Amino acid sequence: MLTRKDFLKRTSFTALGSLFLPVIACNNNSKEKKVVPLAKGSASPLVIATWKNLKATEAAMHVIKNNGSALDAVEAGAKVPEADPEDMSVGYGGRPDRDGFVTLDACIMDENGNTGSVTFLQHIIHPISVARLVMEKTPHVMLSGDGALQFALGNGFNTENLLTDKAKAEWEEWVKENKYTPVVNEHNHDTIGILAIDNKQNISGACSTSGWAYKMHGRVGDSPIPGAGMYVDNEVGGACATGTGELVVKICGSFLVVELMRKGATPQEAVEEAVHRIVKKNHIKDEQVGFLAVNKNGEHGAYALRENFSYTYYTDKGNSVFDASFELKKV
Ligand code: SD4
């Protein structure tokens, strides 16, 4: 167990001195100088994504290998499961809400701290690209529901039927069983959160989902909320989340992970602390929550409330799926 004392010890500035570039922040009293450790940014290009998203990381790395930006890379990556009917947690083929509507959430964030998001968007196969346009073409961060749809249609997107026969048949069975109440769905775990570091060592992130299967109509989860489902600070690193969004939103999960790294935590320490905080503050039953994090040095962390959390990691050593550690330490 990482005690507070251990944590402080590990993050002592002298210990970090050789790894981090110190920035001196002065307040009015010049005697009180605070050293803020910033990672050097010596990472090789990499892409990391939640779950078994090999094709998504492949698409993202393809962009980076062609000297594209991390922002282009994460958008390209997120578009893969969005278009894949077999991924029943994202985009086309996503499981509907309890009334039978496929409603999508997505957000994207670049290395300059710009971010865009869509929530409760229907009929558009690539919500991540609409989120990017919100970021680039509007003075806003988030568009929702009909307004987001209107904006998408005005920018050349077409409407499509996103409810596949398979998802519809499953939902009809669920309705027949009279479970007209959102339940934690153990199969509902393919939401994509994706982070990339490009050749210029810039970090960007994206997150896209159809959300909690059979949720109440209008429910929005963590995935489209910058700071909850995903967050990037190019000076520090990035983080993303998957699982029961309500638990993630309540602790501003991805922001928390990045801020812990800013204070000196390794990515692994930061994701573990975020999960432990969720455990401490909630009565956990069957829920799953998993976090991924990378820092500017290209180190990564992955951790979840319980087993069966996998992630895909593409570096110069190749593209592979890993199981995240889940042994919950006593908190
Ligand atoms: C949500 N976090 O809407 C999403 C669901 C998810 O893997 O991640 N599923 O709460």
Side-chain angles (χ1 to χ4, degrees):
M1 175 183 144
L2 185 67
T3 63
R4 186 177 145 72
K5 212 165 138 203
D6 289 336
F7 180 79
L8 291 174
K9 228 193 278 166
R10 282 200 210 175
T11 58
S12 82
F13 299 133
T14 42
L16 291 166
S18 56
L19 281 175
F20 294 101
L21 196 67
V23 170
I24 310 293
C26 304
N27 62 15
N28 286 341
N29 179 354
S30 60
K31 277 186 190 157
E32 282 182 37
K33 288 179 182 166
K34 208 173 171 198
V35 180
V36 181
L38 291 181
K40 262 186 185 152
S42 52
S44 307
L46 66 84
V47 181
I48 189 165
T50 50
W51 308 112
K52 295 183 175 85
N53 266 308
L54 284 159
K55 286 186 186 151
T57 49
E58 178 82 49
M61 190 54 99
H62 181 74
V63 170
I64 292 173
K65 282 185 175 162
N66 285 292
N67 236 357
S69 67
L71 182 67
D72 286 340
V74 294
E75 181 187 5
K79 285 174 80 170
V80 171
E82 283 182 345
D84 179 359
E86 293 306 314
D87 188 321
M88 298 184 78
S89 298
V90 185
Y92 177 56
R95 291 188 178 86
D97 65 18
R98 68 182 190 179
D99 297 334
F101 299 100
V102 179
T103 75
L104 306 176
D105 293 339
C107 76
I108 194 160
M109 193 156 188
D110 73 11
E111 73 275 11
N112 297 313
N114 298 310
T115 184
S117 154
V118 288
T119 73
F120 190 46
L121 174 64
Q122 295 184 60
H123 314 303
I124 302 290
I125 202 166
H126 288 304
I128 200 65
S129 300
V130 186
R132 180 167 177 177
L133 277 189
V134 172
M135 174 174 87
E136 291 177 342
K137 285 201 160 184
T138 80
H140 307 307
V141 160
M142 192 178 280
L143 291 179
S144 186
D146 285 347
L149 177 61
Q150 208 178 39
F151 171 74
L153 296 179
N155 281 282
F157 289 82
N158 300 315
T159 56
E160 322 212 11
N161 173 24
L162 302 180
L163 185 63
T164 56
D165 290 345
K166 185 176 170 195
K168 186 164 182 246
E170 273 189 18
W171 168 71
E172 283 168 348
E173 275 309 304
W174 178 83
V175 171
K176 252 192 250 159
E177 286 172 37
N178 231 345
K179 286 195 231 147
Y180 197 71
T181 176
V183 287
V184 176
N185 184 331
E186 61 183 26
H187 304 299
N188 185 28
H189 289 309
D190 289 312
T191 289
I192 184 160
I194 181 167
L195 306 163
I197 301 183
D198 63 23
N199 291 313
K200 293 181 180 157
Q201 296 177 344
N202 284 326
I203 308 179
S204 296
C207 193
S208 184
T209 189
S210 52
W212 188 339
Y214 317 140
K215 61 196 173 186
M216 290 174 70
H217 190 59
R219 179 265 188 188
V220 170
D222 60 317
S223 306
I225 301 177
M230 187 275 301
Y231 191 72
V232 166
D233 184 323
N234 204 42
E235 290 184 342
V236 178
C240 59
T242 181
T244 305
E246 283 73 0
L247 294 172
V248 177
V249 171
K250 287 197 269 182
I251 60 155
C252 298
S254 293
F255 180 75
L256 172 65
V257 169
V258 172
E259 287 306 297
L260 288 166
M261 292 194 292
R262 185 194 306 282
K263 296 293 180 200
T266 65
Q268 188 61 32
E269 287 166 351
V271 290
E272 291 186 14
E273 167 69 20
V275 169
H276 291 157
R277 201 165 297 183
I278 287 173
V279 174
K280 232 187 273 178
K281 288 179 182 288
N282 297 277
H283 295 289
I284 303 297
K285 291 184 193 139
D286 304 323
E287 297 93 335
Q288 171 66 303
V289 170
F291 287 100
L292 297 179
V294 290
N295 68 12
K296 273 300 257 192
N297 290 332
E299 295 155 340
H300 78 286
Y303 198 61
L305 261 178
R306 60 185 76 253
E307 57 191 314
N308 299 328
F309 174 45
S310 55
Y311 65 98
T312 311
Y313 190 45
Y314 196 160
T315 62
D316 51 3
K317 296 188 180 64
N319 194 16
S320 309
V321 172
F322 296 91
D323 281 325
S325 105
F326 70 93
E327 286 294 333
L328 269 190
K329 290 151 200 165
K330 247 191 150 34
V331 281

